[in-house]
């Protein structure tokens, strides 16, 4: 009997030890599960880091003024703290992006910068529209967007006059409006819109002038293709280019000027200019897409020792620069960081935080020597393989 009791006791002890062991395993699993749940909870409620634009962007004096003559505030000074980002997230806000057109690298980068930053802020983008450079379509786009009741609209007016009433309607409905580059006529900062964000377009015009002057050795005959529209930023570029040439390089003569209405007019205008002035040594084109047309016209005209400069680092012009083609350099905007800035300023308005009337990112000089580094700075990613191969 004692022996039987001893055996039973031993069985009970072993079973107890086994259960304790299982309990430890279970406890570890449970603990691990709790830690995972805790981590998940912390991830869900975790505050995002502060939001700023790329602080590696060169510090340069911003030469541009705002649409109403405002002094520029550098986009590098804008910031949302972790606490501010979390507060915005709690609001579950929505936003719409209203573009003048969305068919180039600049527009794509703006949209990408906005979307990425809004995502960090917990803001859902409910619409992205493309007006195809038609004012009447943009007015219709705004009406469509307003039906979605967004808290924020970030937009760039096709025309500052004919789109004004549509943007004013959005503001009157309580939508926080942030503009890219330009503002509609009659709208007041702090009342109808939060801020205008732009590149240093005047500074980029200066950069384009300096590049063409260096390439021509400070002398020659050039043409200028400008934007024949009431468009604040493109006017600044052309004004800066022409003033720099006239004041600093008197041996470079601007012998012909031609205006474009839309981005696809570059080849026609450049072709006419080259037919009339066969001895042209170079040309400034107000942005990259019409500059592609000017490049095609120059090739058709058999121009080999010819210099083209422009604004905006698009894929095709970057490839020509890297290939040592006729486009020798340009002044680049930083559209991805402009998108970040616009989203930050929208955040300011949601928080009731005072925003500067006009914000700009610095100008960037781009030539063959720095085209790959510039691409990474402009688009926050490596240059396409084709550009990398051409730059070698």
């Amino acid at each position: 009997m004692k022996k039987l009791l001893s055996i039973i006791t031993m069985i009970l002890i072993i079973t107890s030890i086994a259960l304790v062991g299982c309990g430890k395993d279970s406890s570890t699993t449970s603990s691990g599960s709790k830690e995972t749940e805790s981590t998940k909870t912390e991830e869900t409620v975790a505050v995002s880091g502060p939001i700023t634009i790329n602080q590696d962007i060169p510090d340069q004096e911003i030469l541009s003024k705002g649409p109403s003559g405002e002094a520029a505030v550098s986009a590098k000074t804008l910031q949302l703290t972790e606490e501010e980002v979390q507060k915005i997230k709690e609001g579950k806000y929505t936003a719409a992006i209203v573009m003048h057109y969305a068919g180039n690298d600049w527009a794509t980068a703006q949209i990408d910068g906005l979307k990425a930053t809004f995502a960090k802020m917990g803001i859902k983008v409910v619409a992205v529209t493309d007006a195809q450079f038609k004012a009447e379509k943009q007015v219709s786009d705004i009406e469509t967007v307003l039906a979605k009741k967004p808290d924020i609209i970030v937009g760039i007016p096709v025309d500052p006059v004919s789109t004004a009433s549509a943007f004013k309607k959005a503001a009157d409905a309580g939508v926080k409006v942030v503009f890219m580059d330009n503002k509609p006529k009659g709208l007041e900062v702090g009342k109808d819109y939060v801020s205008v964000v732009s590149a240093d377009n005047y500074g980029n015009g200066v950069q384009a002038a300096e590049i063409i002057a260096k390439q021509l050795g400070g002398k020659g005959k050039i043409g200028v293709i400008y934007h024949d529209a009431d468009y604040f930023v493109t006017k600044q570029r052309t004004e800066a280019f022409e003033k720099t040439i006239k004041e600093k390089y008197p041996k470079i003569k601007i012998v012909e000027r031609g205006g474009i209405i839309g981005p696809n007019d570059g080849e026609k205008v450049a072709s006419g200019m080259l037919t009339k002035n066969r001895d042209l040594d170079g040309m400034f084109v107000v942005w990259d897409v019409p500059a592609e047309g000017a490049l095609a016209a120059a090739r058709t005209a058999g121009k080999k020792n010819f210099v083209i400069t422009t604004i905006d680092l698009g894929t095709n012009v970057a490839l020509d620069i890297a290939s040592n083609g006729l486009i020798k350099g340009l002044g680049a905007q930083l559209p991805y960081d402009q998108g970040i800035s616009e989203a930050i300023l929208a955040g300011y308005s949601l928080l009731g935080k005072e925003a500067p009337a006009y914000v700009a990112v610095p100008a960037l000089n781009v030539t063959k020597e720095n085209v790959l580094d510039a691409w990474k700075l402009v688009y926050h990613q490596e240059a396409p393989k084709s550009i990398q191969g051409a730059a070698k």
Side-chain angles (χ1 to χ4, degrees):
M1 184 70 181
K2 286 182 179 180
K3 188 176 181 181
L4 180 60
L5 288 172
S6 297
I7 291 169
I8 293 171
T9 302
M10 286 297 294
I11 290 170
L12 289 171
I13 291 169
I14 291 167
T15 305
S16 177
I17 291 170
L19 289 172
V20 169
C22 289
K24 283 183 179 177
D25 287 344
S26 176
S27 174
T28 302
T29 304
S30 175
S31 174
S33 175
K34 286 180 181 177
E35 285 174 4
T36 303
E37 288 172 7
S38 173
T39 303
K40 285 182 179 177
T41 304
E42 286 171 6
E43 285 174 356
T44 303
V45 298
V47 212
S48 301
I51 297 176
T52 65
I53 71 165
N54 185 357
Q55 295 301 302
D56 291 334
I57 293 169
D59 287 308
Q60 292 193 105
E61 180 188 3
I62 294 171
L63 304 177
S64 292
K65 300 291 184 184
S68 301
E70 307 98 329
V73 171
S74 173
K76 292 183 74 170
T77 65
L78 301 179
Q79 182 184 35
L80 288 171
T81 66
E82 292 183 356
E83 293 75 19
E84 288 171 333
V85 173
Q86 184 60 29
K87 188 172 181 182
I88 292 168
K89 280 184 175 181
E90 291 166 2
K92 300 186 184 302
Y93 298 108
T94 61
I97 303 169
V98 178
M99 301 300 295
H100 56 347
Y101 80 116
N104 67 351
D105 294 314
W106 179 90
T108 300
Q110 281 264 5
I111 294 166
D112 288 349
L114 279 161
K115 283 184 172 181
T117 311
F118 279 144
K120 290 178 183 178
M121 297 159 67
I123 295 173
K124 182 181 179 182
V125 176
V126 295
V128 179
T129 65
D130 175 4
Q132 300 167 11
F133 250 111
K134 298 173 183 176
E136 64 276 13
K137 185 176 186 311
Q138 187 167 61
V139 170
S140 174
D141 288 344
I142 294 168
E143 290 287 345
T144 302
V145 160
L146 286 177
K148 297 178 180 291
K149 301 186 183 303
D151 300 292
I152 300 157
I153 287 178
V154 180
I156 174 168
V158 172
D159 177 85
V161 176
S162 53
T163 63
S165 59
F167 280 112
K168 183 74 166 67
K169 182 178 179 181
D172 290 345
V175 179
K176 309 295 186 184
V177 181
V178 179
F179 289 116
M180 306 173 186
D181 282 354
N182 201 4
K183 73 176 186 70
K185 295 288 186 187
L187 270 65
E188 298 178 29
V189 66
K191 177 185 175 185
D192 302 312
Y193 70 95
V194 178
S195 183
V196 175
V197 179
S198 182
D200 183 3
N201 283 283
Y202 196 97
N204 279 323
V206 171
Q207 296 296 340
E210 295 291 353
I211 292 167
I212 203 169
K214 182 178 179 180
Q215 290 289 327
L216 294 176
K219 60 183 179 180
K221 296 179 180 179
I222 64 173
V224 169
I225 295 181
Y226 64 93
H227 189 199
D228 192 10
D230 184 14
Y231 220 73
F232 166 69
V233 295
T234 51
K235 282 183 176 180
Q236 281 200 320
R237 298 173 185 183
T238 306
E239 178 189 342
F241 178 88
E242 293 181 337
K243 186 176 181 183
T244 302
I245 293 296
K246 289 173 183 176
E247 292 184 356
K248 290 187 67 176
Y249 303 102
K251 292 183 180 180
I252 298 177
K253 304 298 181 185
I254 299 172
V255 297
E256 182 82 12
R257 301 177 82 249
I260 58 169
I261 301 299
N264 299 321
D265 297 339
E267 185 170 3
K268 179 179 68 176
V269 174
S271 180
M273 193 178 288
L274 288 165
T275 300
K276 187 177 176 182
N277 304 274
R278 297 185 182 276
D279 59 346
L280 277 187
D281 300 300
M283 190 177 293
F284 166 73
V285 189
V286 70
W287 79 87
D288 67 315
V289 179
E292 294 172 26
L295 174 61
R299 286 172 174 166
T300 300
K303 304 293 284 187
K304 293 183 179 179
N305 298 316
F306 195 71
V307 179
I308 299 173
T309 61
T310 186
I311 312 291
D312 292 341
L313 188 65
T315 302
N316 294 331
V317 294
L319 182 58
D320 198 66
I321 291 170
S323 306
N324 202 29
L326 301 183
I327 300 176
K328 299 300 183 184
L330 51 82
Q333 300 191 74
L334 296 157
Y336 193 99
D337 286 283
Q338 286 171 242
I340 295 173
S341 302
E342 290 145 12
I344 290 173
L345 287 163
Y348 277 26
S349 67
L350 296 172
L351 295 166
K353 187 173 176 179
E354 186 176 358
Y358 177 62
V359 173
V361 297
L364 182 65
N365 181 299
V366 182
T367 61
K368 180 176 173 61
E369 287 69 33
N370 74 333
V371 64
L372 297 183
D373 290 337
W375 186 279
K376 191 170 183 179
L377 198 61
V378 170
Y379 293 110
H380 290 221
Q381 60 187 351
E382 298 293 341
K385 296 294 184 185
S386 58
I387 297 173
Q388 292 185 39
K392 291 179 180 177

